[in-house]
Amino acid sequence: MKREDASDLLAFLAVARERSFTRAAAKLGMTQSALSQIIRSLEDRIGLRLLNRTTRSVTPTQAGERLFLSIGPKFNEMDAELAALSELRERPAGTIRFTATEYAATEILLPALRKILPQYPEIHVEVIIDYGLTNIVAQQVDAGIRPGELVAKDMIAVRVSPDLRMAVIGSPSYFAGRKRPRTPQDLTDHNCLNLRLPTHGGSLYAWEFEKNGREVNVRVEGQLVFNSAGLLLEGALRGFGLAYLTEGHVQPYVSRGQLVRVLSDWCPPFSGYHLYYPSRRQVSPAFSLIVDALRFRGQVG
């Protein structure tokens, strides 16, 4: 079917349905004279009169009625299918890839997904645990979760947690017979569990402290090095040494007496976790749902 034939047939259906050139022209957004010309052109091409016109009414001829009953349902089916496709486009679906630290994935991302995924089975999420500052564009990742101070300025950033604090912790068995550190410099006398980060060129992460405006970075030493916060926590629980982790990560163990916290007065709050993604990213309904579930509203959870 030629494009002009389809357009002319739609014009015919409008007139046959409305029984009026005036009403059909208004619905089609054209002048009555233009619509009359389209119908005359269609009738000339097929060699049959399709509409009977009087000053008071417009009715289909026998041929017009047959054409109306034949093609009308087909065009209705096409309209319904196009509407269904439009709904499919708006329905939350697709795969979203996130990069996050273990703690951010466990305590921030997963609780949000728990609210969404059961309701939207067509949404799929891939979580990549990474402690580096992933180039989410180059790595084809949709979004990342990092402390706000680490997010690049050209990214859209959405706060997803309250402010954070770091904590130095060790097990009661580790502290048995050892002096607890009172200043960051005292850590040089302790067996500390190190974290190796790809962001720092593979070097060991320096522990950062601040008190009364004085900033101190300490490169601690110890027998164990990990590239996972989960293993740092496990090492501390098993008494291998001191670990430096986010307060939220260790607080349940401190509350139960499984870990002891030290140097808390040297660990002030800093910017909380933010979800970040490129400003030019086209936001899908699925992504919007997750962002809204993650958005921090002044309470945890």
Side-chain angles (χ1 to χ4, degrees):
M1 180 188 297
K2 295 180 180 179
R3 181 177 299 177
E4 58 268 26
D5 288 339
S7 178
D8 292 354
L9 287 171
L10 285 171
F12 162 74
L13 288 173
V15 178
R17 190 178 295 114
E18 296 296 328
R19 297 293 200 269
S20 165
F21 275 90
T22 303
R23 291 194 296 271
K27 287 204 170 185
L28 294 172
M30 62 175 65
T31 64
Q32 184 176 340
S33 60
L35 179 56
S36 295
Q37 181 58 44
I38 289 172
I39 299 301
R40 281 195 295 269
S41 176
L42 175 61
E43 290 175 329
D44 289 343
R45 287 204 304 277
I46 63 178
L48 290 170
R49 178 176 288 277
L50 299 173
L51 297 168
N52 291 317
R53 307 161 177 84
T54 69
T55 56
R56 296 186 177 182
S57 67
V58 177
T59 58
T61 64
Q62 184 178 1
E65 187 70 20
R66 176 176 174 177
L67 183 62
F68 178 74
L69 295 175
S70 174
I71 68 170
K74 293 182 174 62
F75 275 94
N76 290 338
E77 287 176 10
M78 287 189 286
D79 286 341
E81 185 59 30
L82 289 173
L85 289 175
S86 178
E87 291 175 5
L88 182 62
R89 185 185 69 242
E90 298 301 327
R91 185 189 309 157
T95 299
I96 311 294
R97 302 180 76 224
F98 289 94
T99 170
T101 63
E102 281 178 89
Y103 176 74
T106 302
E107 300 300 325
I108 298 173
L109 184 55
L110 290 184
L113 295 178
R114 184 68 185 87
K115 300 174 184 177
I116 293 173
L117 297 188
Q119 301 178 55
Y120 300 96
E122 293 178 340
I123 295 178
H124 300 270
V125 176
E126 180 178 351
V127 182
I128 302 161
I129 300 302
D130 183 7
Y131 291 89
L133 293 178
T134 301
N135 184 331
I136 59 177
V137 176
Q139 298 299 319
Q140 297 184 323
V141 175
D142 294 289
I145 301 178
R146 296 289 187 278
E149 60 194 28
L150 300 180
V151 176
K153 300 299 183 185
D154 61 344
M155 293 283 170
I156 293 177
V158 179
R159 178 181 277 267
V160 295
S161 85
D163 284 346
L164 302 172
R165 290 183 71 198
M166 297 303 292
V168 180
I169 44 88
S171 69
S173 62
Y174 172 81
F175 283 117
R178 287 187 176 91
K179 276 190 176 182
R180 299 184 183 184
R182 296 183 178 276
T183 68
Q185 291 81 358
D186 293 341
L187 292 171
T188 56
D189 298 326
H190 286 266
N191 198 355
C192 297
L193 308 177
N194 263 303
L195 178 67
R196 192 179 297 279
L197 291 177
T199 310
H200 295 67
S203 61
L204 298 179
Y205 176 64
W207 295 12
E208 302 172 79
F209 301 95
E210 182 184 343
K211 185 176 182 180
N212 299 325
R214 179 188 172 196
E215 296 182 4
V216 178
N217 290 353
V218 181
R219 295 201 173 275
V220 299
E221 296 184 359
Q223 294 176 282
L224 285 171
V225 178
F226 300 109
N227 69 345
S228 159
L231 287 173
L232 284 178
L233 177 61
E234 190 63 29
L237 287 168
R238 292 173 183 251
F240 285 106
L242 301 182
Y244 183 72
L245 293 162
T246 53
E247 182 179 59
H249 204 163
V250 303
Q251 189 57 47
Y253 303 94
V254 173
S255 298
R256 293 194 294 266
Q258 294 173 271
L259 291 172
V260 176
R261 184 173 181 180
V262 295
L263 298 176
S264 59
D265 55 331
W266 281 91
C267 298
F270 62 95
S271 177
Y273 279 110
H274 285 65
L275 175 84
Y276 66 96
Y277 56 95
S279 57
R280 61 181 179 274
R281 186 190 190 283
Q282 185 175 359
V283 176
S284 67
F287 188 77
S288 295
L289 265 178
I290 295 174
V291 171
D292 191 58
L294 284 167
R295 194 183 301 274
F296 177 66
R297 295 178 174 81
Q299 59 185 14
V300 178

